[in-house]
Amino acid sequence: MAELERVSGHPVRWEPRRPGEGDVWPAADVIAFAPVTANSLNAWALGLTPSWVVGAVVAGVGRRVPMVAMPCVNQVLAAHPQVDRSVAVLREAGVRVLYGEGGWVPNRPGEGRPEAFPWGVVLDAVDQEARPGR
């Protein structure tokens, strides 16, 4: 975390601010949320804030911050109809969801390889979303 603070010039946050505590971060140019679990994806689409990070992206929708998300779900979780509904809701809200062709394609349960997560796809999308006049 010390290295992230050094590089960004801002403290790393993983908990909500306390009431009355000022925000030490500048406004975001773009937010990337990846990998996104089925639980976080569905909570986000429903506007629920069970954790600080999901609360941040729920608020990002309201603030109209450009956002990129890449769900990371297996085929069994992806078969639940709420996953597709959540992807559709977030896309309608302006979130660039990298899911399906050109993004995350669900794999069979137990075949996850964290080292193979397509971070380059996420970062390229962040660069595109962060450009002025995109």
Side-chain angles (χ1 to χ4, degrees):
M1 285 200 294
E3 181 63 11
L4 287 172
E5 288 181 1
R6 185 191 70 74
V7 170
S8 71
H10 301 285
V12 174
R13 175 172 284 150
W14 65 92
E15 297 178 314
R17 288 181 286 137
R18 294 198 166 120
E21 182 182 355
D23 198 349
V24 296
W25 288 357
D29 295 324
V30 63
I31 295 173
F33 190 4
V36 183
T37 64
N39 189 50
S40 292
L41 178 78
N42 293 331
W44 183 11
L46 293 170
L48 304 175
T49 58
S51 65
W52 180 85
V53 72
V54 177
V57 293
V58 167
V61 169
R63 290 186 176 112
R64 301 197 185 286
V65 176
M67 289 188 278
V68 173
M70 184 178 281
C72 183
V73 297
N74 65 37
Q75 291 170 347
V76 171
L77 294 175
H80 192 286
Q82 187 58 47
V83 170
D84 285 339
R85 287 185 202 122
S86 293
V87 168
V89 164
L90 293 172
R91 285 178 174 159
E92 288 169 17
V95 177
R96 184 168 176 187
V97 183
L98 306 170
Y99 183 72
E101 193 66 34
W104 181 260
V105 177
N107 54 339
R108 290 195 310 249
E111 289 187 351
R113 295 186 345 261
E115 72 282 356
F117 188 78
W119 287 108
V121 174
V122 175
L123 296 174
D124 287 346
V126 165
D127 284 343
Q128 292 169 3
E129 292 297 316
R131 289 190 199 128
R134 54 182 183 352

